[in-house]
């Protein structure tokens, strides 16, 4: 046997997953208790922040004082799905712990995973009140449809918050006769694609070979492709400057990037 939580034991062969652990804690907490905040986001598959200490919300007067859990008391429970706070409500609660970047990443992820619509995420964050409500409302302004990974969200925000034109997310390029490929970010007016390449693009031979052919086709069709790696994102100013230089080469006459307070707080 192995201990899952204090007083709750399972067979040694049972994997102590997050779902099982959260359910076990619920047996020790008051009846009107739900998984909440960042922990609820992790339950929904949105990997931002840390699952523990496990966050719960309850209407009960008596709460657990165990170090492993945090229980907040409310007069009325938020929207729920089973014993877990619904995704958008959990995201709004998480504003207290998550920074702006992680809030936007979580919102984009939620939309992509079809846990909520863009309108539901945006409106939920816009209606936030209380502590860090301005952060939540700002996140509501920045979430978008179409982002397929946290790195794509980070890359998009690095460009946009520096004052450069906003790219479209995950655009299919080509025409009715010939499909070139799907690009992560696309600056349509200048025919520029910005592509984030994870390690699998380099280590998987099939993916790497496909990438080479796709970039040849992008180039042949007149698309200027900027390839960004994880290492490049460690120096986000350089990435933004590369995008700006590409824009200028295609006739962009707008302002140069500005790395203001919000940009620096998010990326530096």
């Amino acid at each position: 046997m192995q201990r899952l939580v204090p007083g709750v034991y399972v067979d040694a062969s049972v994997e102590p997953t997050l779902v099982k652990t959260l359910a076990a804690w619920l047996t020790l907490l008051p009846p009107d208790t739900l998984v909440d905040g960042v922990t609820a986001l992790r339950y929904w598959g949105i990997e931002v922040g840390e699952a523990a200490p496990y966050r719960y919300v309850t209407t009960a007067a008596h709460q657990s004082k165990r170090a492993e859990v945090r229980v907040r008391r409310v007069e009325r429970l938020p929207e729920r799905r089973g014993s877990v706070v619904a995704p958008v409500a959990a995201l709004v609660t998480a504003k207290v712990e998550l920074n702006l970047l992680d809030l936007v990443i979580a919102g984009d992820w939620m939309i992509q995973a079809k846990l909520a619509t863009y309108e539901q995420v945006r409106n939920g964050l816009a209606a936030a009140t209380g502590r860090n409500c301005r952060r939540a409302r700002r996140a509501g302004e920045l979430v978008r449809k179409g982002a397929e990974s946290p790195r794509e969200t980070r890359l998009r925000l690095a460009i946009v918050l520096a004052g450069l034109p906003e790219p479209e997310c995950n655009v299919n390029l080509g025409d009715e006769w010939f499909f070139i490929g799907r690009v992560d970010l696309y600056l349509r007016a200048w025919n520029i694609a910005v592509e984030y390449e994870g390690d699998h693009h380099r280590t998987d031979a099939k993916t790497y070979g496909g990438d080479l052919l796709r970039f040849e086709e992008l180039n042949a069709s007149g698309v200027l492709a900027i390839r960004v790696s994880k290492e490049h994102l460690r120096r986000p100013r350089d990435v933004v400057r590369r995008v700006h230089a590409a824009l200028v080469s295609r006739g962009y006459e707008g302002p140069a990037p500005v790395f203001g307070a919000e940009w620096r707080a998010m990326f530096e």
Side-chain angles (χ1 to χ4, degrees), residues 19-239:
V19 172
K20 291 185 176 69
T21 300
L22 295 177
W25 276 114
L26 282 171
T27 67
L28 305 179
L29 296 170
D32 289 331
T33 301
L34 304 175
V35 181
D36 190 32
V38 174
T39 305
L41 293 179
R42 302 286 298 202
Y43 173 90
W44 293 120
I46 299 171
E47 298 178 4
V48 292
E50 298 293 335
Y54 305 111
R55 289 79 157 181
Y56 292 87
V57 59
T58 186
T59 56
H62 299 289
Q63 303 173 26
S64 172
K65 295 184 179 180
R66 296 182 182 274
E68 299 97 323
V69 298
R70 292 180 187 169
V71 185
R72 67 184 181 100
R73 185 175 181 273
V74 294
E75 293 185 4
R76 181 179 178 182
L77 289 174
E79 181 184 355
R80 65 193 292 171
R81 293 188 188 176
S83 58
V84 184
V85 172
V88 173
L91 179 63
V92 173
T93 299
K95 72 185 188 304
V96 177
E97 296 183 57
L98 297 180
N99 60 31
L100 178 59
L101 178 59
D102 282 341
L103 276 175
V104 179
I105 286 172
D108 282 3
W109 197 328
M110 192 173 292
I111 295 164
Q112 178 62 24
K114 293 182 170 53
L115 293 167
T117 66
Y118 166 68
E119 290 75 16
Q120 288 169 335
V121 173
R122 180 192 62 191
N123 294 339
L125 289 168
T129 59
R131 183 180 169 192
N132 289 345
C133 63
R134 291 184 180 179
R135 180 186 300 169
R137 293 170 186 171
R138 180 59 172 149
E141 296 171 354
L142 295 172
V143 293
R144 292 292 183 270
K145 301 176 185 178
E148 295 183 348
S149 75
R151 297 288 181 182
E152 287 179 22
T153 295
R154 180 184 291 268
L155 181 54
R156 173 177 63 82
L157 291 177
I159 294 168
V160 171
L161 295 184
L164 296 182
E166 179 163 356
E168 301 170 48
C169 297
N170 285 288
V171 177
N172 292 328
L173 298 182
D175 54 35
E176 57 186 302
W177 296 284
F178 182 65
F179 174 67
I180 299 172
R182 185 174 177 86
V183 296
D184 296 336
L185 301 173
Y186 186 54
L187 292 153
R188 188 175 298 273
W190 298 273
N191 204 16
I192 295 172
V194 186
E195 290 273 80
Y196 175 73
E197 298 189 7
D199 287 344
H200 70 284
H201 288 265
R202 175 178 53 83
T203 58
D204 182 87
K206 185 175 180 180
T207 301
Y208 180 64
D211 284 346
L212 292 178
L213 293 175
R214 188 164 65 97
F215 281 107
E216 284 183 8
E217 291 166 355
L218 287 172
N219 182 63
S221 68
V223 178
L224 175 55
I226 301 171
R227 304 169 74 176
V228 179
S229 69
K230 180 179 178 180
E231 184 61 29
H232 292 148
L233 274 184
R234 297 181 191 278
R235 300 182 299 279
R237 288 190 187 228
D238 291 346
V239 172

